[in-house]
Amino acid sequence: MSVIGIILGVVAIGLFVWLRKEQQMDNGLHAAELDHTHHGMNAMMDNFNKYQVETDRKIAELEKQLEIKIKSQDKKMEKHLKELPFIIGKVVGQIEFSQDIINRKK
């Protein structure tokens, strides 16, 4: 019985050592996979940050362009409002002149 006990003990120790090596190898593989995942996440985060900065710049540029266009349109509108009384007077004058011509023919 003692021989069987020794053999079983040696087999148990061998299995323990083998399982420990397997566990260490699995831990190493998991660590490498975790490291790759970490690098991938950092790359995605950097990409997203660049995208956010680029988008913010584009939005700011579009806001500037919109403000410039609005100011330009406001200036054009003010110009037309200043010219409007003159144009109305011109049209009314032409209508009155036409009425005078029509009234003379009668």
Side-chain angles (χ1 to χ4, degrees), residues 8-89:
L8 286 177
V10 169
V11 169
I13 292 172
L15 281 174
F16 179 75
V17 170
W18 179 75
L19 288 173
R20 185 166 169 89
K21 285 184 182 180
E22 283 289 318
Q23 185 66 40
Q24 287 175 345
M25 188 168 48
D26 286 345
N27 286 346
L29 291 173
H30 289 301
E33 187 174 335
L34 184 63
D35 189 45
H36 290 304
T37 303
H38 186 70
H39 285 297
M41 293 297 255
N42 282 339
M44 284 178 56
M45 187 172 59
D46 290 342
N47 231 358
F48 186 67
N49 288 342
K50 288 178 186 175
Y51 171 77
Q52 284 179 321
V53 168
E54 184 178 320
T55 302
D56 288 343
R57 284 184 189 150
K58 285 180 181 178
I59 289 171
E61 182 62 31
L62 289 172
E63 286 174 345
K64 283 182 185 178
Q65 290 176 2
L66 183 62
E67 189 173 327
I68 290 169
K69 278 195 169 191
I70 288 172
K71 286 181 181 178
S72 172
Q73 291 294 326
D74 286 346
K75 287 180 183 178
K76 286 180 183 179
M77 183 62 102
E78 287 176 16
K79 180 183 173 192
H80 290 304
L81 287 175
K82 287 179 183 177
E83 293 176 351
L84 191 60
F86 174 73
I87 294 171
I88 291 172

